[in-house]
Amino acid sequence: MDGGDAGPGALKAQPPPHRRSGRGGRDKGAQIAGTRCCGGGDAMSQEDPSLASVAAAYRRFEPAAYLRNNYAPPRGDLSCPDGVGPWKLRCLAETFATGEVTGRTLIDIGSGPTVYQLLSACAYFEDITMTDFLEVNRQELGRWLRQEPEAFDWSAYSWHACLLEGRGDSWQHREQQLRARVKRVLPIDVHQAQPLGAACLVPLPADALVSTFCLEAVSPDLASFRRALGHITTMLRPRGHLLLIGALEESWYQAGEVRLPVVPMSAMTVREALVHGGYEVRDLRTYTMPAHLRTGVDDVQGIFFAWAQKKAGVEV
């Protein structure tokens, strides 16, 4: 674990001021979105008509609208300890703080246009792969990794992650560390038996997987969700760890003009899918979306966080 470039008192200052993106007038107060888009290339649309419909819908996905819908205030207000953003960061920070989820390689499944899900992880893994189905999301990630002026401003989430961890790291150091440890950004298709393709550039199996708002959002039904879970599980070593964040009891959300379907999931459905997929569920938490955060851009009822460990000898 790397040390920070600031002393323990560095985090007592106010969080960094929100800045505005140079593209599309995006409010930097929006900060970080959950990751909705995954899959990869065009393969998802080749075999199953229902998967083809999902793939076609995602071609109309607008990252800027998604970020604006979900992470501009009120949902993007990190100053409220009971908000959804702090809850997600806290789940991740507390899990990594156990010291059990560690290793050399980590794959982020369906990164979308976001990096918040890796802010705590990058202190524990030196080789990180980010992935997404959509080129527009991979381009967005590239802008942030290259520190281009048009990139989305993640500093408030970086600051908050460091605050939660309490290790004295500065948010600037944490962002530099994450950029250094993301080694590649690749296409992925979770509906293929080899999600990263036959000519995979990633060292496999990985020590850990992270996936946020992905599998339930790109699967037309529960059976597809379970198959996709099985596909990504093949990339994880025995006794490796999977961290999942996703929507509870959501059937649709908007990302620009397109209205995208979601498989409604309960906490029990998530647990059963993980157990069926060969995992031991180490932790499963839920967050109920308060009324003032139900803003009409989706019908989400809550969020789940799951920490699961792949059992030895599992064949998927």
Side-chain angles (χ1 to χ4, degrees), residues 39 162 165:
C162 292
E165 294 169 9

Side-chain angles (χ1 to χ4, degrees), residues 23 139 142-152 179:
R23 284 185 302 108
Q139 290 173 344
R143 279 186 282 268
W144 186 84
L145 291 167
R146 293 187 298 269
Q147 295 184 266
E148 296 180 2
E150 302 84 4
F152 197 77
R179 288 186 175 101

Side-chain angles (χ1 to χ4, degrees), residues 32-37 61 66-67 70-71 88 110-114 116-117 157 212-214 245:
I32 315 311
T35 10
R36 298 283 188 168
C37 298
F61 181 93
Y66 173 66
L67 294 170
N70 290 280
Y71 296 93
K88 290 185 290 185
S111 305
T114 74
Y116 79 96
Q117 64 275 17
Y157 265 54
T212 54
F213 299 100
C214 174
I245 294 177

